[in-house]
Amino acid sequence: MRISCPCCGPRDRREFTYLGAAAYLDRPDPDAPAPEWDAYLHLRDNPAGRTRDLWYHDACGSWIVVTRDTVTHAVLAAEALA
Amino acid sequence: MTQSHRIPGKGLIDRSRPVRFSFDGRPYEGFAGDTLASALLANGVRLMARSFKYHRPRGVLTAGPEEPNALVEVFEGEQKTPNMRATVQEVFTGLRAQSQNRWPSLRHDLMAVNDRFARFLAAGFYYKTFMWPAAFWERVYEPAIRRAAGLGALSGQPDEGRYEQAFAFCDLLVIGAGPAGLMAALSAGRAGADVILAEADARMGGRLLADQPTVADRPGPDWASQVLGELAAMPNVRLMPRTTVTGAYDGGTWGALERVGLHLADPGALPRECFWRIVARRAILAAGALERPIAHPDNDRPGVMLVSAVQSYVARHGIDPGRVVVFGNNDSALQAARVLTAQGVRIAGYVDPREDVAVVEDFPVYPGAAVTGTRGRLGLRDVAVRHKGGVSLIEAETLALSGGWNPTLHLACHLGGRPDWDAGLAAFVPRAGMVPSMTVAGAARGQFSTAACLADGLAAAKAALSDLGLKPGTDTAPAAEDRPYTIAPFWAVDAGGRAWLDFANDVTTKDVQLSAQEGFSAVEHMKRYTTQGMAPDQGKTSNVTALAVLAEATGQGIAQTGTTTFRPPFMPVSIGAMGAGGRGMGFAPRRLATSDGQSRDMGAPMIEAGLWYRPSYFPRANEVTWRQSCDREVTMVRSSVAVCDVSTLGKIDVQGPDAERFLDFLYTNAMASLKPGRTRYGLMLREDGHVMDDGTCARLGQDHFVITTTTAAAGQVMRHMDFVQQAFCANWAVRFASVTEHWAQFAVAGPKARELVNKILQTPVDERNFPFMACGPACILGVQGRLFRISFSGELGYELAVPARYGADLFARLVREAEGMGGGAYGMEALNVLRIEKGFITHAEIHGRVTAFDIGMAGMISARKDCIGKAASRRPGLTGAEREQLVGLMPIEPQAAISAGAHLYDKDAPATREHNQGYVTSVGYSPTLQSWLGLGFLRNGRARHGEIVRLVDGLRGIKVACRVVHPVFHDPEGGKLRG
Amino acid sequence: MRYSGFRVFAQGLTGNRGWRPAWRKPAPRDAYDVVIIGGGGHGLATAWYLAKNHGITNVAVLEKGYLGSGNIGRNTTIVRANYFLPGNSEFYSHSLKLWEGLERALNYNVMHSRRGLINLFHSDAQRDAFARRGNAMLAQGDDAVLLNRADVRRMLPYLDFEQARFPIHGGLYHPRGGTARHDAVAWGYARAADRRGVDLIENCEVTGIDVENGRVTGVQTSRGPIRARQVALVAAGRSSQVAAMAGMRLPIESHVLQAFVTEGLKPVIDHVISFGMGHFYISQSDKGGLVFGGDLDFHASYGARGNLPMAEHVMEAGMTLMPMIGRARVLRSWGGIMDMSPDGSPIIDRTHIDGLFVNCGWNYGGFKAVPASGWCLAHLVATGQPHPVAARFRLDRFATGHLLDEEGTGSQHNLH
């Protein structure tokens, strides 16, 4: 698998660390009810197909939202978080 | 030995370069250009192996890497490689090979008795027996089965061979250098594309070499040589012979194995093999097709080969196959018989189940016929042919089989695609787009004439060039042989007896039929029940036939039956090659502190921590055990002064107007309130509310902090900080960078620590101008560095940081000064005892399941601000009396050794799970308190100080009564710490 | 038809013509007491224990492919009971005991082989962590032995003791740990359940779950609707998709785990060896192949196939640990789809829908769990009460914080 780091260009999978679903960006309000925090931390859509997830390019420190397909492993887009 | 079975003058071998090799201890001679198989055949050796299960005598079936039978062990000095394909291994002078899976010898193999009992050893028989008596499975049956199974043997010695891994990049990867691949590479190379042409064979040309069709009015091999000459001269083309592309992976990445030194008598510094990762923008699969045999009774004797193999041995190696019976169901078999005849080979009969096959040939033709049996214990003697006139026995040394051709589409299926059944070809063919960046060309997609392969290769290249944005040239495919290919599906001869499908695993048509009879009729069930296709050859010559037999047994069509899944590797890859560089120290990088050399010079055993190496202790002349050194080092810190390299702690430099806000968000406790020139202990949580790490946070200026992490968690914390900043506060004015490697940092600890540091500081410090938890710039022996008044030992302590290039010198000077004051260096063992005495935690305690509440730091989660992990830490299961909480443990008998990993129980409770109260995380012997001390977690532990619990370590036979105490054993008021 | 050595002999004499199908291939009926979605190891075991322990035989197991087509046939076949957290200890201990009688219970040779499992350690800190684990195993009544370096060298002389990047300090030895023949486990349970009257329905994909007034009433399938009083989701690898049919979102992320097998070799590795620093574990099958694996590929995937970085890492780990395997050739690699849960432990529980149960989240430890998983889910379905050894595998434990995190890596799914 290869991912295009917005900062560095296309790189091999081995340069990246995976975190999880992009839903992890939607951090609830600190005082949000417990079920909201439970959902945020644990529950996942976990689609078989197109998904958006979070990757870290170890080489440059960029966090990237990657749009890809969990069945075909096709990488469709990669955008920097910041 | 004479090469009795050579045809004079024939073949692509170099007769001017004879080579001497041995097989099973006997010397033989062959020629450069021979494989082990061809060289043995040249010497009249047909028996090369024994089969897996029945130990049947076997020769070669094929002339390529798909070989199921002729697997041998090859020696390199003392090293031995099992399961080498005799059909791939090139001969060189000095090559030593031997047969495998036989005892005592290849000709007389006692395990061949299995063949007599075959009726009791049908598919899956072992699932139905060996169950009584129960204990016999592990003691008797399984060991016997294990000894009987397996093929070759590893030597048991470390593999000293050299291997490499490498990356390559190209515009176009062409897989296979037969007519389609050569044409594609030529066209793409001429158009200026960066091309890699990978070919598994040592010699490029594919079937052009064996079939020798006419191309551009020349013999096929000549045309191939000319094209290869032109390709070799192109700087943008890389020819990779002996390179098998083994796997298609995501994003246009390919795995490939190159046999670099395996064919050389003296490879010198060359590796045996190199594992390539080839990143290609486009790829063309031109891997050709594999012929398949026909299942008929006793179709597995030495001398039974595929038609294409016979052709290959004759044309490439000049082998005389003797009298040949050809048994085929397709036009390519018949054409081969003609070509062989023209080459002087005696075709004793052409047998074809098709009724309409032409009978007027230069050899006897048996239309509507089939081979029903063979004879010859260690080599084929005669062939029984059932034809319209009855059954004839035909004497022959070689039986050439062709049940048709299977396109070599494996790589096209590696990303999960399933091929289509082509009834006309009686074969599976790839679908378009199975691998997004790849097209399939030539025989690999069922184009079987030379002309069609050339045209298809050219078309694939043009399409790829256009995808690459390159302008295709005006090449045209040369004129070539263009015979039609017709086939009548014919899989197995029904004539009683056993007919082999999977030669390597000894799977017969009966096994597949039994599988269907017992309901294992899904193709994957059949495979797993019979082991069809699971041998080293991966069923390359047998899988399609087996599922045709299955389809017949179940009454479903082949298309409905489907294939098993194609998975990498396409050809087996040695662990050594794919794991090149991993041996010994190569497995992981080593990080060395600036004091590393000096620590080793001082005799310190080094231990690994988060890839770093740190000194365990510094033994002195009179010390015999590590405990003596450790006790002394602890005492030095407690009574005078000692020095420890703490550079391995992660150091992150955080700057900017919003730095304090950012750190407040990261840490549970407030950092914004920290004053410049001051340091504070900090606790970080994971977002799930558990402790991630701890460390110090030093505010060097209003907008400038340096934080430390534990050695092991440095990378995780940095990644976490990057995430929090980029995900949640990207617009804040804060930047940070890891400076772990940039600074060497040393702890100076002990009552005389100030005395020591003042010897080397330009500006001396005292309690007033540099109090506990102070930090700031300092001129250290003329070098601009940093000074911190922090301590992990509980004594008066300083940490001095200098740019890493000065680290070694500063460490040497500090140790020398300390030694002059009755102290010295201390290592990890002493550091561990010192911190246990003070109840300071490490990752032994914050092991990922621990909350701030558990370690008594719930109060550090500031109520006035949000922080990572705060919300989740409020979950009901993460606090309360049910939680195991950090406690100190002191044995009632102070000299009674206790152990980390022990469990805790109430004084009178049995040591069972139901009664478990907690566990011990860290222990050490405290020379200060003259007692063993432990830290651990005890259910509701903070409420149980003073109680006596039982520490049980059943593994080490330790049972010690301990008193539960506050985790800070030494100087609980902290007076020493504050100086 | 009962299997035995005598039967094999007698059938051999008569051309093996008398063997009957291992299980029937019934068409689905209109209604069952219990429908189990998923004909893998866990689903088949559940069916068998429902029938055997509870006498509930009006049961259908619905499998969208062929029986055993999921992870039961795609793993490294390791059987062990070496967990240390209460909640896990008793469950896997129970499972190992069931393994130890499985051949006779099922009348099927699943080739369970207690060849011993050794977890290597490389530092004092790891030794202590393994000591804690070993002491938990002893406290549970299972077996564990702490080996020093000399012990390990005696047992595994072929490891690289001289220059490994992570020198071997010792190991935690679990003598009753071992392996079994994975496919045979599925087939054995299938055949045994079938003999008790359970309908095993292959090529039957569930497309919907019917819920009325908060109560499950049946399922929609590719072979028509089937009514059921109780439905159990036992579809690891596709748990999220099946649960979504009932409107549920699970705490599961799907990941691919690769494993590898070499060409057949004469016996050379007699134990199961686990090398934590390299995320590498290996054993040798009875057929002679070295079976080994490593860590997840780490990205969410339903691809059932891996990528090179982890494959190479696994081989590198093998080379640093036991360089004698360098010349063994990898024959096949495969990828299984793992239900990764936020604490690395499984879920066997009711759901908010009456009559609907879920069994998922086995991470990459599902194979050894098969007997106890089936036992406990059957107990829950039959009695309405969680079985005592699986009582902590609750669906709500993430919300409440009663976690079972053996790895200590927290709520990130792929780190377990």
Side-chain angles (χ1 to χ4, degrees):
Chain A
M1 187 183 290
R2 290 174 72 75
I3 294 170
S4 263
C5 170
C7 187
C8 310
R11 297 299 180 96
D12 191 83
R13 162 71 178 90
R14 70 195 72 209
E15 293 188 17
F16 297 87
T17 300
Y18 181 83
L19 176 63
Y24 209 62
L25 296 172
D26 308 324
R27 190 171 186 267
D29 186 83
D31 300 316
E36 206 172 309
W37 274 97
D38 174 40
Y40 169 71
L41 282 167
H42 307 119
L43 304 184
R44 295 290 178 262
D45 290 339
N46 196 25
R50 183 174 289 217
T51 192
R52 293 175 77 240
D53 47 20
L54 294 164
W55 298 69
Y56 182 67
H57 190 204
D58 299 322
C60 73
S62 294
W63 277 96
I64 303 164
V65 181
V66 176
T67 307
R68 61 185 190 95
D69 190 303
T70 58
V71 177
T72 66
H73 292 175
V75 175
L76 306 166
E79 308 149 72
L81 272 195
Chain B
M1 284 292 289
T2 58
Q3 298 185 42
S4 54
H5 288 61
R6 291 277 190 203
I7 305 171
K10 272 214 80 69
L12 303 172
I13 44 177
D14 185 350
R15 294 189 189 237
S16 70
R17 288 167 57 207
V19 295
R20 292 171 192 286
F21 66 97
S22 73
F23 178 64
D24 277 347
R26 286 188 68 179
Y28 296 97
E29 192 184 90
F31 294 119
D34 264 325
T35 62
L36 177 60
S38 71
L40 286 171
L41 290 172
N43 287 284
V45 177
R46 289 189 293 174
L47 175 64
M48 297 183 200
R50 290 278 175 167
S51 69
F52 177 80
K53 187 170 166 186
Y54 301 130
H55 290 251
R56 304 259 299 181
R58 293 285 171 79
V60 286
L61 180 71
T62 73
E66 68 275 21
E67 174 62 29
N69 287 334
L71 273 53
V72 300
E73 294 173 344
V74 172
F75 289 86
E76 292 160 53
E78 296 306 303
Q79 304 265 316
K80 182 173 80 165
T81 313
N83 299 349
M84 295 291 271
R85 279 64 170 166
T87 49
V88 172
Q89 176 64 53
E90 297 167 59
V91 290
F92 51 81
T93 290
L95 174 72
R96 279 195 297 143
Q98 75 177 22
S99 56
Q100 58 188 29
N101 196 35
R102 81 287 184 276
W103 189 86
S105 75
L106 184 58
R107 293 182 68 85
H108 305 284
D109 179 4
L110 291 180
M111 289 297 285
V113 69
N114 284 358
D115 203 31
R116 303 259 179 100
F117 295 106
R119 61 172 68 180
F120 307 116
L121 309 179
F125 78 97
Y126 29 75
Y127 300 125
K128 301 167 182 164
T129 180
F130 302 135
M131 289 180 277
W132 186 88
F136 270 41
W137 171 249
E138 283 161 358
R139 292 203 202 128
V140 179
Y141 303 130
E142 187 183 43
I145 288 172
R146 288 192 69 199
R147 274 195 301 276
L151 285 166
L154 290 171
S155 66
Q157 299 303 308
D159 180 3
E160 303 293 349
R162 294 194 51 183
Y163 301 92
E164 286 179 3
Q165 295 168 331
F167 272 104
F169 297 83
C170 61
D171 292 330
L172 179 66
L173 170 66
V174 180
I175 301 162
L182 285 175
M183 197 65 224
L186 183 66
S187 174
R190 283 176 178 166
D194 283 328
V195 176
I196 289 178
L197 176 58
E199 165 59 52
D201 205 314
R203 185 172 180 135
M204 293 188 165
R207 292 307 299 176
L208 293 175
L209 306 178
D211 301 350
Q212 309 211 334
T214 302
V215 180
D217 300 325
R218 265 164 296 171
D222 293 359
W223 182 82
S225 295
Q226 184 212 318
V227 170
L228 286 166
E230 184 177 341
L231 289 171
M234 292 183 192
N236 53 324
V237 175
R238 187 198 294 204
L239 300 179
M240 296 182 72
R242 299 189 177 89
T243 302
T244 308
V245 176
T246 57
Y249 299 91
D250 295 311
T253 304
W254 304 81
L257 184 71
E258 181 184 4
R259 307 187 303 277
V260 185
L262 290 179
H263 60 293
L264 300 173
D266 178 15
L270 289 175
R272 303 178 75 239
E273 296 168 309
C274 178
F275 184 75
W276 290 91
R277 305 85 145 201
I278 301 173
V279 179
R281 294 169 64 200
R282 298 284 314 173
I284 294 174
L285 178 64
L290 294 172
E291 204 170 17
R292 60 197 183 211
I294 295 172
H296 64 73
D298 291 330
N299 60 341
D300 66 330
R301 296 190 194 282
V304 180
M305 291 187 215
L306 294 169
V307 172
S308 57
V310 177
Q311 278 189 288
S312 190
Y313 288 122
V314 171
R316 289 187 61 174
H317 305 289
I319 302 297
D320 177 1
R323 293 165 295 181
V324 178
V325 171
V326 177
F327 180 24
N329 64 341
N330 62 79
D331 293 352
S332 98
L334 180 57
Q335 174 60 17
R338 294 178 186 134
V339 171
L340 288 167
T341 304
Q343 287 168 322
V345 173
R346 189 174 150 200
I347 302 297
Y350 176 77
V351 182
D352 196 320
R354 293 180 294 179
E355 301 286 348
D356 57 348
V357 64
V359 292
V360 185
E361 298 284 353
D362 296 335
F363 41 79
V365 175
Y366 300 88
V371 172
T372 55
T374 64
R375 289 193 303 183
R377 194 177 75 85
L378 298 178
L380 183 72
R381 210 168 61 234
D382 55 42
V383 177
V385 176
R386 183 179 64 200
H387 53 88
K388 289 171 184 159
V391 175
S392 302
L393 274 184
I394 305 175
E395 288 187 7
E397 285 72 43
T398 299
L399 169 59
L401 301 176
S402 178
W405 291 83
N406 294 322
T408 308
L409 45 69
H410 308 64
L411 289 166
C413 303
H414 277 183
L415 299 192
R418 299 273 176 176
D420 284 328
W421 178 251
D422 183 322
L425 296 176
F428 285 98
V429 291
R431 288 178 198 171
M434 294 168 89
V435 174
S437 63
M438 186 181 80
T439 47
V440 187
R445 73 175 190 97
Q447 302 288 315
F448 287 155
S449 80
T450 308
C453 286
L454 291 165
D456 211 31
L458 182 64
K462 287 186 171 173
L465 288 166
S466 146
D467 289 347
L468 290 164
L470 293 168
K471 193 170 158 7
T474 54
D475 302 310
T476 53
E481 167 274 318
D482 197 12
R483 253 175 233 97
Y485 170 83
T486 61
I487 178 171
F490 187 82
W491 310 102
V493 178
D494 187 9
R498 284 178 293 162
W500 267 259
L501 292 164
D502 185 330
F503 290 64
N505 259 353
D506 273 331
V507 179
T508 67
T509 52
K510 285 187 176 176
D511 292 312
V512 173
Q513 286 153 356
L514 177 62
S515 163
Q517 177 187 328
E518 295 195 73
F520 293 93
S521 44
V523 63
E524 279 283 348
H525 277 160
M526 180 276 284
K527 170 186 121 177
R528 290 158 185 265
Y529 196 62
T530 63
T531 75
Q532 163 66 42
M534 297 171 88
D537 69 316
Q538 299 159 313
K540 288 198 174 58
T541 55
S542 60
N543 279 345
V544 174
T545 311
L547 61 92
V549 171
L550 176 68
E552 214 162 82
T554 60
Q556 293 182 330
I558 294 174
Q560 287 73 41
T561 301
T563 64
T564 55
T565 310
F566 295 86
R567 300 183 183 283
F570 166 58
M571 288 289 172
V573 181
S574 64
I575 293 173
M578 210 159 167
R583 267 207 70 178
M585 293 307 245
F587 179 57
R590 283 184 300 162
R591 303 177 78 181
L592 304 179
T594 57
S595 63
D596 188 81
Q598 190 170 351
S599 295
R600 290 175 198 266
D601 289 347
M602 292 167 75
M606 304 301 282
I607 54 174
E608 208 263 6
L611 301 180
W612 290 94
Y613 282 80
R614 303 187 73 181
S616 185
Y617 55 95
F618 294 88
R620 288 190 178 170
N622 56 340
E623 292 165 356
V624 181
T625 67
W626 70 268
R627 260 288 303 283
Q628 291 173 315
S629 306
C630 176
D631 287 359
R632 173 193 36 84
E633 289 172 13
V634 170
T635 307
M636 286 184 334
V637 173
R638 295 280 178 239
S639 61
S640 58
V641 63
V643 178
C644 180
D645 189 337
V646 294
S647 310
T648 63
L649 295 183
K651 300 182 269 301
I652 300 170
D653 197 280
V654 186
Q655 300 195 32
D658 289 324
E660 58 174 33
R661 198 175 156 203
F662 179 59
L663 294 174
D664 266 3
F665 190 34
L666 282 175
Y667 283 107
T668 59
N669 46 332
M671 293 300 171
S673 58
L674 188 63
K675 292 189 170 51
R678 300 291 296 171
T679 307
R680 184 171 285 168
Y681 175 79
L683 193 66
M684 278 190 205
L685 305 182
R686 298 187 307 236
E687 190 70 282
D688 68 6
H690 294 75
V691 177
M692 172 188 277
D693 199 36
D694 67 348
T696 59
C697 175
R699 190 166 202 166
L700 296 175
Q702 180 60 33
D703 298 341
H704 186 193
F705 296 78
V706 173
I707 68 169
T708 66
T709 74
T710 57
T711 301
Q716 180 194 3
V717 170
M718 186 67 197
R719 197 160 55 232
H720 172 68
M721 288 173 63
D722 272 331
F723 179 74
V724 170
Q725 194 262 334
Q726 294 173 39
F728 304 133
C729 39
N731 56 351
W732 292 5
V734 57
R735 289 293 179 268
F736 48 90
S738 168
V739 293
T740 306
E741 269 91 354
H742 305 59
W743 294 88
Q745 193 154 322
F746 306 98
V748 177
K752 299 180 186 172
R754 186 178 299 131
E755 191 183 327
L756 192 158
V757 297
N758 278 339
K759 290 185 181 191
I760 57 168
L761 289 176
Q762 187 174 324
T763 310
V765 290
D766 57 32
E767 188 54 45
R768 192 180 42 76
N769 70 4
F770 208 77
F772 182 57
M773 297 305 265
C775 66
C779 183
I780 301 163
L781 295 169
V783 171
Q784 281 307 310
R786 291 169 182 166
L787 184 66
F788 305 86
R789 173 78 193 279
I790 54 180
S791 169
F792 195 54
S793 62
E795 294 299 326
L796 172 64
Y798 297 87
E799 289 190 9
L800 294 85
V802 291
R805 61 188 178 279
Y806 302 110
D809 287 342
L810 179 57
F811 182 72
R813 175 67 179 271
L814 289 171
V815 171
R816 200 161 63 239
E817 294 288 354
E819 285 172 347
M821 299 165 70
Y826 68 102
M828 298 299 291
E829 295 293 349
L831 183 139
N832 194 43
V833 172
L834 290 162
R835 66 100 189 167
I836 291 172
E837 289 177 341
K838 285 296 295 178
F840 292 147
I841 53 175
T842 67
H843 280 289
E845 285 73 38
I846 45 175
H847 48 51
R849 288 171 294 272
V850 159
T851 63
F853 172 86
D854 298 339
I855 53 175
M857 295 187 184
M860 276 183 71
I861 303 178
S862 168
R864 289 191 297 276
K865 64 176 185 68
D866 185 24
C867 73
I868 297 290
K870 182 176 175 179
S873 74
R874 294 189 290 235
R875 284 181 283 174
L878 298 185
T879 54
E882 279 301 296
R883 297 288 298 180
E884 291 161 341
Q885 301 161 5
L886 182 68
V887 294
L889 297 162
M890 287 185 88
I892 304 300
E893 203 54 55
Q895 301 306 309
I898 56 175
S899 54
H903 287 223
L904 302 173
Y905 299 92
D906 287 346
K907 203 168 45 173
D908 302 315
T912 61
R913 173 181 50 79
E914 294 82 354
H915 295 92
N916 187 287
Q917 294 292 306
Y919 56 96
V920 183
T921 51
S922 303
V923 301
Y925 180 77
S926 165
T928 317
L929 301 174
Q930 299 283 305
S931 171
W932 282 88
L933 304 178
L935 295 175
F937 287 87
L938 181 68
R939 190 168 298 175
N940 200 26
R942 279 194 292 277
R944 295 168 69 174
H945 291 180
E947 191 178 311
I948 291 174
V949 295
R950 200 157 70 105
L951 177 155
V952 179
D953 185 338
L955 291 172
R956 293 138 158 160
I958 291 173
K959 288 179 188 169
V960 177
C962 290
R963 187 176 302 282
V964 179
V965 297
H966 191 277
V968 182
F969 299 92
H970 175 65
D971 186 27
E973 300 76 28
K976 293 173 185 292
L977 196 63
R978 293 182 170 77
Chain C
M1 168 183 275
R2 198 172 164 75
Y3 290 161
S4 69
F6 173 76
R7 181 85 65 175
V8 168
F9 179 75
Q11 282 293 329
L13 290 179
T14 54
N16 288 306
R17 280 189 289 269
W19 295 113
R20 311 303 320 148
W23 55 84
R24 298 167 293 128
K25 306 224 177 242
R29 295 203 301 266
D30 291 343
Y32 292 91
D33 290 342
V34 182
V35 158
I36 295 167
I37 302 174
H42 291 253
L44 293 167
T46 303
W48 158 244
Y49 291 115
L50 274 173
K52 174 171 173 281
N53 293 357
H54 306 283
I56 299 173
T57 56
N58 186 19
V59 176
V61 177
L62 309 184
E63 168 54 51
K64 76 170 174 180
Y66 58 92
L67 292 184
S69 51
N71 293 333
I72 187 74
R74 224 174 276 145
N75 59 70
T76 45
T77 79
I78 297 170
V79 174
R80 58 188 167 92
N82 62 346
Y83 285 70
F84 73 94
L85 293 178
N88 281 331
S89 287
E90 56 268 41
F91 176 83
Y92 290 102
S93 179
H94 182 61
S95 205
L96 183 54
K97 289 189 187 87
L98 293 175
W99 276 107
E100 288 169 340
L102 205 54
E103 274 89 1
R104 275 157 298 157
L106 301 180
N107 179 228
Y108 207 85
N109 187 357
V110 300
M111 303 184 188
H112 178 226
S113 164
R114 292 170 302 179
R115 51 185 66 186
L117 173 131
I118 297 167
N119 279 94
L120 299 170
F121 54 76
H122 311 272
S123 68
D124 290 354
Q126 287 178 359
R127 178 201 59 210
D128 293 342
F130 275 118
R132 180 183 172 198
R133 179 178 300 273
N135 280 314
M137 292 157 69
L138 294 177
Q140 175 57 36
D142 292 324
D143 61 325
V145 180
L146 200 64
L147 306 177
N148 63 27
R149 182 179 158 92
D151 298 331
V152 176
R153 190 191 276 269
R154 201 161 45 243
M155 293 174 73
L156 312 174
Y158 47 81
L159 301 186
D160 189 347
F161 287 87
E162 304 312 317
Q163 55 149 357
R165 173 65 178 77
F166 298 104
I168 296 158
H169 286 210
L172 181 64
Y173 178 38
H174 174 31
R176 284 163 65 220
T179 60
R181 169 86 180 97
H182 57 1
D183 289 324
V185 177
W187 301 339
Y189 275 115
R191 176 170 164 272
D194 175 84
R195 283 166 46 149
R196 296 251 178 173
V198 172
D199 280 358
L200 309 177
I201 301 165
E202 297 177 90
N203 303 308
C204 180
E205 182 171 4
V206 171
T207 54
I209 296 173
D210 300 329
V211 179
E212 283 171 28
N213 303 321
R215 188 165 175 92
V216 74
T217 58
V219 294
Q220 299 292 321
T221 80
S222 57
R223 298 176 70 172
I226 299 173
R227 281 178 285 115
R229 293 198 298 116
Q230 291 173 304
V231 173
L233 314 183
V234 197
R238 287 277 166 173
S239 297
S240 297
Q241 279 70 38
V242 180
M245 294 174 195
M248 292 173 64
R249 241 173 131 219
L250 293 178
I252 299 290
E253 198 171 87
S254 297
H255 282 264
V256 62
L257 179 71
Q258 299 191 63
F260 309 87
V261 63
T262 69
E263 300 171 353
L265 299 162
K266 290 297 176 192
V268 65
I269 293 175
D270 295 331
H271 303 84
V272 182
I273 301 162
S274 175
F275 170 44
M277 288 309 286
H279 311 290
F280 174 84
Y281 46 92
I282 188 167
S283 66
Q284 187 171 16
S285 78
D286 287 347
K287 270 189 70 190
L290 305 180
V291 180
F292 59 102
D295 225 325
L296 297 177
D297 270 23
F298 288 119
H299 48 267
S301 170
Y302 290 88
R305 58 197 168 74
N307 270 286
L308 281 174
M310 185 49 69
E312 291 170 15
H313 180 79
V314 169
M315 311 292 163
E316 288 163 16
M319 287 305 287
T320 198
L321 181 68
M322 44 174 76
M324 73 154 178
I325 62 173
R327 287 162 193 245
R329 277 182 293 269
V330 174
L331 180 61
R332 270 193 314 281
S333 63
W334 63 93
I337 303 304
M338 309 290 125
D339 274 9
M340 299 303 294
S341 74
D343 66 357
S345 293
I347 295 158
I348 301 177
D349 204 353
R350 301 181 195 85
T351 66
H352 68 286
I353 297 167
D354 277 350
L356 185 67
F357 301 86
V358 61
N359 173 321
C360 66
W362 291 98
N363 293 269
Y364 40 73
F367 179 66
K368 62 185 167 293
V370 163
S373 170
W375 184 285
C376 294
L377 179 57
H379 184 275
L380 178 65
V381 170
T383 68
Q385 295 302 316
H387 190 279
V389 303
R392 299 206 199 190
F393 295 159
R394 292 172 63 105
L395 189 52
D396 68 358
R397 69 176 185 272
F398 309 102
T400 65
H402 294 94
L403 307 165
L404 291 166
D405 186 354
E406 294 261 337
E407 296 278 335
T409 43
S411 65
Q412 190 179 326
H413 298 72
N414 64 346
L415 294 184
H416 295 284

